[in-house]
Structures are given as C-alpha cells and as structure tokens.
Amino acid sequence: MKILLFMLFLFTLPMAGRAEDNSLSEVRITAEGNTQFSLFAPENARSVKVRVYATANAKKAEKTIALKLRDGRWQTEVKGNLTGRYYTFSVNGMQECAGIFAKAVAVNGRRAYIADMRSTDPEGWAADKRPVVKNAVDHVIYELHHRDFSIDPSSGLTHGGKFLALTEPKAIAHLKRLGINAVHILPSFDYASIDETHLEENKYNWGYDPLNYNVPEGSYSTDPATPEVRIREFKQMVQALHAADIRVVLDVVYNHTFNTKESNFHLTYPGYFFRHRDDGSDSDGSGCGNETASEQPMMRQFMVESVRYWMDEYHIDGFRFDLMGIHDMETMRLIRAEADKVDPTILIYGEGWSAGTCAYPQDKLAMKATTYEMPGIAAFSDDMRDALRGPFSDDHKTAFLGGEKGHEESIKYGIAGCISHPQVDITRVNYSKRPFAAQPGQAIMYVSCHDDMCLVDRLRASVPELSDPNRRPRYKINTLIDLDLLAQTAVMTSQGIPFILSGEEMLRDKKGVHNSYCSPDSINRLDWTNLKRFPKVFDYYCGLIAMRKAHPAFRLADADLVRRHLEFLPAEDCVVAFRLKDLEGIDSWREIVVVLNSNRTARNVTIPDGWWTIVAQDGRINLSGLGVAHGPVATVPARSAMILQR
Ligand code: CA
C-alpha cells in the first residue's frame, strides 16, 4: 500500500505541479503517455488549432486539433506519445507557427518538434558542473562568434563555424593558454537570417534576428535537419568548456524579433508582446522594426522562464542582454532573482541603452545610468571604451590612445569600476552624470566588442600615424601593437569585469568594416597565422590575464575596498597613474603601481620612493619581474604601460 501510494505520488505530482504553475511550456508528455499542448493566445480567439505532422516537410497534417480555453490557456490533450512528431499552432486562421516556447524545431525553425530532451544529453551530462567563479569581477570574458573563431583553415579546427569547434582540444588549449574563464557566445539561439537548408552558401550573420528563443541555432550544428543534433552539440560544447573550467555566457536578444507580423509572438497573440506608440504603430526602440514589452506579465514571464530554461537544460552560466535598456528594470530584477535560485554567481549584464526611443517611461528602463538600482546586474561601460578609443558615432575620432588629452578622468572612472571614488571628478567624465555602478561587479570594462570597429581597425582609422602613407609599414605595425597592448592593459587592470573580443589576442582586423553583421567570412574570420606573426601580442595578453587572475587587488569585489585601496597618482596629460596600496591580507603583492602613457614620448611619473619590481614595461610582461626600478621617479616609455609591484 505504501509503495502504491508512493508510485501514485510520483506519477501525479509532476503533472499536477505543472498544470498549476502556468508555465509557458507548450507541449509535454503526461504520465499516462499522452501529449498535451497548450498556448497563450487571446481569450476571445475564434479558433486555436494545433497541427501534428509526421515529418518536417509533410504537406498534410496527421491531425488537426482545436484547443479549448481553460484557466486562461488554450489547451488540449492528444492520445498517445507524439515524441518525434512536428507541430504548429494556428490562431484565428493566421499563418502556422512554432509557438513561442518551442524547445526543438525543424530546419529553419518554422515547425516545432517534440524531442525527448533526455536523449539529447551527451554522455556524462548529468555530472557536468558549472565552473566555480566566486565574484562577478573574477570573470575574464571572451566574446566569440562561432564562425569568426573557427571557420578559417588556419584555425586548424575540424568543425569550422560549429558548436563542436569549441569541443576540440586545440580550441580549448588556446582559450586555456590565453587564460579567459568565460566564453560569451554571440546569439546561438535559433535565428532567422541564415537558410539552414543551404549552408554550403556559407552565409554569415551575427544572429540578432531571433526566431525561436529556446532552441539552439541550426546553422551551428552539423545537421540542422535532425532536431536533436543541434541540442546535443550545444550541450557538448558547454560540457567541453566546463571541463576546461570555462563558463558559457549566452547573448540573449529578447528586446525584438526578426520580423513583427510573422513573429511567433504576433502569430500567437497579436499585439500583446510588443510596445506600441500612442497612434498604435509599432514602437522601435531596437532599430529593428519593433520592441518587445517586458512589462507585459506574459512577456516578463517568458523572459524569466527562458533564462531559467537555458540554465537548467543547457547549464548556461551567464547572460548578456542585447539592448537591455529596452527592458524594464523590474523584469531584470526578477531575472536576477531567478538566476539566484540556481546559482548567485550566474553573470547577468547587458547593453544599458536602446537603439531608438522606447514607448515606456525612461526612468523605469534598465538603462546604464541606473544600473546601481539593479544589484547583481552589470552594464557595459562605454565611458571607458570611448575614452580610450573615441566615440561610437565616428570611427575616425580618436581619444586617449591617439594621444588626445582630456580623457584621463573617464579612464580613471573606468579603472575604479564606474563606482563613486573620491579622486574621480564625475563632472569631468564623458557620459555619466553620476557613477552608474554601486559595486565594481556592475561594470563591464572593454575597449572593443563585435559592434563597430574592432580595436585594430579603430586604431588604424583614428590614429593619424597609422594611416600616414609616409610612415614605414614596420613603424606602423609596431605603433599599432604598442597602442593595442596599452588599451588592454587599461582594461585588465581596471576594477569591474574585463571583456575582450575574440581574436584581439591575435591582432585581428575586419578590414576596416564598421558593421560586419552580415559581412562574409573573409571579413569576420580570425587569421590564426597571426599568432605566429605577432607572438608578442599573444604573450602580452596571456601575461595580463594571468596577472589579473593571480592578483585579487585588480578585482576587488566591494566598492568600499576599491575606495580604500585604489589611489590615483598625480600625472600630466595623456597619463593615468594609480596605485593599489595596503594590500596585506588581500594580495601577495603589498603594493602595485600602474602607469598608462599614451604620449608620443616617454614621461616621468612620481611614484612612492624605494625599490620596485618591474612587472610590465614597453610591451612586455613577466609576473616574476623584468628588472627593478627605484622611486620616486619612474620613466614610462612612449605609448606604453608600466606595472610595478613590491
Ligand atoms: Ca535558424
């Protein structure tokens, strides 16, 4: 009897539990082996139908079933386990669609598929563990596009442009040597613009055109026509990176859909998921034709559930929110709370801006300026980025790196992790009116990302000597490298969370293309032969990252610690100098001095008196020391960083 009761409990609880929790999940197999469909669609819909197909391309449905409204959801139960079948929903006779929460899809994502998700787990998946990263500031993020990274034969990788490339020992060895501990993958959910039935065309896209938010993209799998394959290969990728102690951050794009009228949101519940202007037209805060309405209860629930699903099903460790400034702060806080239930160290960050005006009160949006009101959520610091290399709006304008004075205060702000610091005069900082971060873990520090020019192209476009036809190529490449290393020294010695674009460590360029979102592989691909051509660059990046990881003084987790231990030193134009002091109990180095000099000649900086070990100088870095220096004056060569410790 006891056993019977227990069995009954086992079989009924999951069913009862799920039926009541109002999950947006649209298909499930009951304990009795039947298939339930449900859909969030208008209560006054004339008809809501599900069609079941035997194959991805079958013209005729095996079954067409009308759903009935019950407890606010349209639902039906079909006899038998339909795992392995395809299905679509149709509301009021509109075009068929995959629903909003498909977990597996046919090639090109227009039909959903009922997968046995457990059958997609690679061997050992149950034992897969999230790598331990104690504090947000302990991450070193590497932003990667699958094709950029592995499509060129010079990569030596077998699975060019595929999830599986990141399972290959050579790829893992490269990332491990570089020392990054989080790979941020550009959109890897199912997006619309690549025809998955014609992969031989080698079309390229970043993937900011969402189709199915909860399914991996087919073109990154070895077989997009077999729905389980992309799911399994995505998991294999996560598993391989986790085994190498590298976390996986997913770029999520809930702020807009590829198109509006043909989106799954519109086709299931017209109007509901999007924001509209007063005249009823679609608001376009994304610059892509629409913007979603995170404040709508079901859109909010959709985002929370989706993020939770990626954490649970795919073991994702962090999320980068595209145009986070389109979402409302309340939704972002709920997402943070949901992530905390799984693991409080899951990273959440985003772009604290929108691309156009949103049809929602500005003061409620998750903009960078109010990041401090969203604990545990970080925003990209364009303040630091632009102070280093120049503004987004004009590729040819330079800043600190080009030897232009007036950007020092913004760089100091970045070095402090965009928190309030007694020595940073916020009125002289480029964009922020007040410090946007309450804690250093709320600021992403970077000088380049996939957007606009990569660092090499930007330096070439904005620093006059690098485009001067009268300068010798040798001079230009050396100057380029000097400035590149100086830029990343600023990023890696800043408080906050450092972030680099994949390939910067091999001096990548994009042939000067500003927006390469659909440029061919020839523009976007990394040339791995650069590792041999510019070994100095890779060695320096490795050294910088190793230094940051070995020395907690560069990644203080608390704002008060930053204010206590970070002190800026007096310096002239185009020099930023600081020391990290009183580090007993925090770091094996008692004191650290960092000087960034972007002048075209050497500069003297006053440092505390006495002997110092030189860790970095003139484009070289060695944690055991390159030599010694004696205060109170340090001479820092032109366009270089110096790091001293004792
Ligand atoms: Ca796709």
Side-chain angles (χ1 to χ4, degrees):
M1 185 64 183
K2 245 185 193 168
I3 289 171
L4 192 69
L5 267 176
F6 180 64
M7 294 284 286
L8 202 67
F9 182 74
L10 257 185
F11 280 112
T12 54
L13 186 70
M15 233 185 103
R18 284 201 189 170
E20 284 163 14
D21 70 10
N22 204 26
S23 152
L24 286 169
S25 198
E26 287 159 346
V27 61
R28 67 183 196 91
I29 308 301
T30 68
E32 293 79 14
N34 294 327
T35 306
Q36 289 185 341
F37 293 96
S38 72
L39 189 72
F40 174 64
E43 297 206 356
N44 62 0
R46 292 189 315 279
S47 83
V48 178
K49 287 180 181 156
V50 62
R51 289 182 174 81
V52 177
Y53 295 93
T55 67
N57 301 316
K59 292 232 162 36
K60 204 170 158 349
E62 283 186 324
K63 297 183 193 354
T64 302
I65 309 115
L67 280 69
K68 292 203 164 50
L69 187 64
R70 186 155 53 89
D71 305 328
R73 299 291 301 276
W74 292 84
Q75 307 187 34
T76 190
E77 182 166 320
V78 181
K79 208 162 169 45
N81 183 334
L82 297 179
T83 298
R85 301 294 216 286
Y86 297 81
Y87 67 93
T88 61
F89 292 106
S90 173
V91 175
N92 287 344
M94 284 190 294
Q95 177 184 328
E96 293 173 51
C97 73
I100 63 170
F101 219 106
K103 293 174 179 172
V105 292
V107 69
N108 281 337
R110 295 295 174 185
R111 280 183 187 173
Y113 174 79
I114 306 174
D116 169 7
M117 294 302 286
R118 294 290 63 81
S119 79
T120 67
D121 293 347
E123 200 182 325
W125 183 242
D128 176 65
K129 288 256 185 318
R130 205 181 293 292
V132 175
V133 177
K134 197 167 156 230
N135 296 306
V137 291
D138 299 336
H139 291 89
V140 180
I141 302 172
Y142 184 80
E143 186 201 38
L144 168 154
H145 185 283
H146 298 290
R147 286 186 86 89
D148 291 20
F149 186 74
S150 57
I151 203 70
D152 195 73
S154 66
S155 70
L157 296 166
T158 310
H159 300 287
K162 305 292 182 188
F163 296 132
L164 288 182
L166 287 171
T167 67
E168 296 184 45
K170 189 182 172 189
I172 298 280
H174 175 76
L175 299 174
K176 289 299 286 179
R177 227 189 116 201
L178 180 58
I180 57 93
N181 61 8
V183 167
H184 152 165
I185 47 176
L186 259 70
S188 295
F189 52 79
D190 183 30
Y191 59 82
S193 57
I194 300 289
D195 183 351
E196 298 173 2
T197 63
H198 284 96
L199 296 184
E200 72 285 357
E201 292 172 359
N202 283 314
K203 287 270 172 58
Y204 181 98
N205 205 288
W206 281 341
Y208 293 96
D209 45 354
L211 187 58
N212 292 292
Y213 286 97
N214 300 301
V215 185
E217 161 62 12
S219 67
Y220 299 141
S221 78
T222 59
D223 178 11
T226 306
E228 292 88 351
V229 172
R230 62 178 79 184
I231 300 173
R232 185 177 304 115
E233 290 178 349
F234 190 108
K235 289 175 176 175
Q236 286 176 272
M237 168 187 72
V238 173
Q239 188 180 37
L241 289 165
H242 281 181
D245 237 10
I246 296 170
R247 287 186 154 200
V248 183
V249 174
L250 193 64
D251 192 337
V252 288
V253 190
Y254 299 111
N255 68 80
H256 72 274
T257 55
F258 171 56
N259 45 28
T260 311
K261 294 288 183 269
E262 292 187 353
S263 68
N264 294 326
F265 284 149
H266 178 84
L267 291 174
T268 53
Y269 204 132
Y272 181 86
F273 293 96
F274 296 105
R275 291 196 187 122
H276 306 278
R277 301 189 186 101
D278 289 341
D279 65 3
S281 61
D282 294 317
S283 185
D284 185 20
S286 69
C288 300
N290 61 57
E291 91 196 41
T292 56
S294 55
E295 68 280 6
Q296 288 276 36
M298 284 301 158
M299 183 64 206
R300 180 173 280 170
Q301 185 182 330
F302 176 80
M303 290 171 64
V304 172
E305 260 190 65
S306 177
V307 163
R308 178 63 188 253
Y309 177 67
W310 282 102
M311 289 186 274
D312 289 347
E313 185 66 38
Y314 291 94
H315 304 180
I316 288 296
D317 311 295
F319 299 88
R320 175 267 189 198
F321 283 78
D322 186 60
L323 299 181
M324 183 170 71
I326 289 181
H327 305 315
D328 70 298
M329 282 199 275
E330 183 55 22
T331 299
M332 292 309 301
R333 289 192 198 101
L334 287 168
I335 287 170
R336 177 70 266 173
E338 190 68 17
D340 286 347
K341 291 181 201 163
V342 176
D343 183 340
T345 70
I346 282 170
L347 202 51
I348 294 183
Y349 57 99
E351 294 182 303
W353 47 75
S354 59
T357 308
C358 297
Y360 200 67
Q362 283 288 308
D363 61 344
K364 290 186 174 163
L365 293 173
M367 293 288 182
K368 183 190 72 173
T370 47
T371 301
Y372 60 85
E373 291 184 39
M374 298 183 286
I377 296 175
F380 284 94
S381 172
D382 55 343
D383 324 73
M384 172 76 157
R385 180 195 71 194
D386 292 1
L388 285 166
R389 57 137 222 209
F392 181 86
S393 54
D394 185 352
D395 289 334
H396 299 287
K397 252 180 100 46
T398 191
F400 181 81
L401 293 170
E404 185 177 276
K405 66 178 181 180
H407 304 281
E408 297 82 358
E409 207 66 17
S410 302
I411 290 173
K412 285 165 62 184
Y413 173 62
I415 285 163
C418 302
I419 60 161
S420 94
H421 186 284
Q423 287 179 284
V424 176
D425 178 358
I426 198 72
T427 65
R428 290 164 59 211
V429 167
N430 49 8
Y431 303 140
S432 292
K433 301 273 185 295
R434 60 164 286 179
F436 76 75
Q439 295 295 339
Q442 292 186 283
I444 303 284
M445 314 314 305
Y446 71 126
V447 66
S448 66
C449 68
H450 69 277
D451 270 321
D452 69 297
M453 283 189 172
C454 61
L455 181 55
V456 164
D457 285 340
R458 180 62 185 235
L459 289 168
R460 284 186 173 140
S462 63
V463 178
E465 299 97 305
L466 297 182
S467 55
D468 182 349
N470 298 318
R471 298 273 185 178
R472 292 200 315 277
R474 186 87 217 143
Y475 166 86
K476 285 193 213 169
I477 194 71
N478 287 339
T479 302
L480 178 74
I481 290 173
D482 288 347
L483 293 174
D484 186 287
L485 303 186
L486 176 61
Q488 300 292 12
T489 310
V491 171
M492 286 297 163
T493 60
S494 284
Q495 305 296 324
I497 307 170
F499 170 109
I500 63 170
L501 171 65
S502 161
E504 305 281 28
E505 77 279 15
M506 46 183 102
L507 214 62
R508 82 177 294 178
D509 68 25
K510 293 194 283 185
K511 300 189 168 68
V513 175
H514 174 89
N515 185 351
S516 67
Y517 83 99
C518 68
S519 298
D521 290 333
S522 58
I523 298 296
N524 283 301
R525 64 102 175 85
L526 303 190
D527 179 356
W528 287 63
T529 63
N530 277 4
L531 285 171
K532 287 213 172 70
R533 288 171 66 207
F534 310 112
K536 176 181 174 178
V537 173
F538 185 61
D539 287 349
Y540 191 87
Y541 275 60
C542 295
L544 262 182
I545 294 171
M547 179 184 73
R548 184 178 177 93
K549 286 165 76 183
H551 293 283
F554 293 110
R555 44 189 170 86
L556 299 168
D558 182 84
D560 285 329
L561 286 177
V562 175
R563 285 185 279 267
R564 194 177 312 150
H565 297 285
L566 168 64
E567 179 191 333
F568 291 97
L569 302 172
E572 53 186 288
D573 290 344
C574 293
V575 178
V576 173
F578 62 95
R579 72 172 176 141
L580 295 159
K581 61 183 183 182
D582 306 330
L583 299 176
E584 292 86 352
I586 291 178
D587 202 300
S588 59
W589 291 347
R590 285 179 298 119
E591 192 174 2
I592 302 167
V593 164
V594 178
V595 185
L596 310 169
N597 174 24
S598 68
N599 289 287
R600 289 167 173 78
T601 51
R603 285 293 185 277
N604 287 336
V605 178
T606 304
I607 61 168
D609 206 356
W611 287 102
W612 293 85
T613 298
I614 301 170
V615 177
Q617 186 176 35
D618 211 10
R620 287 180 305 136
I621 186 165
N622 186 331
L623 300 199
S624 332
L626 293 163
V628 292
H630 198 285
V633 174
T635 302
V636 184
R639 290 176 155 164
S640 73
M642 183 178 257
I643 302 172
L644 308 164
Q645 68 87 5
R646 61 182 174 188

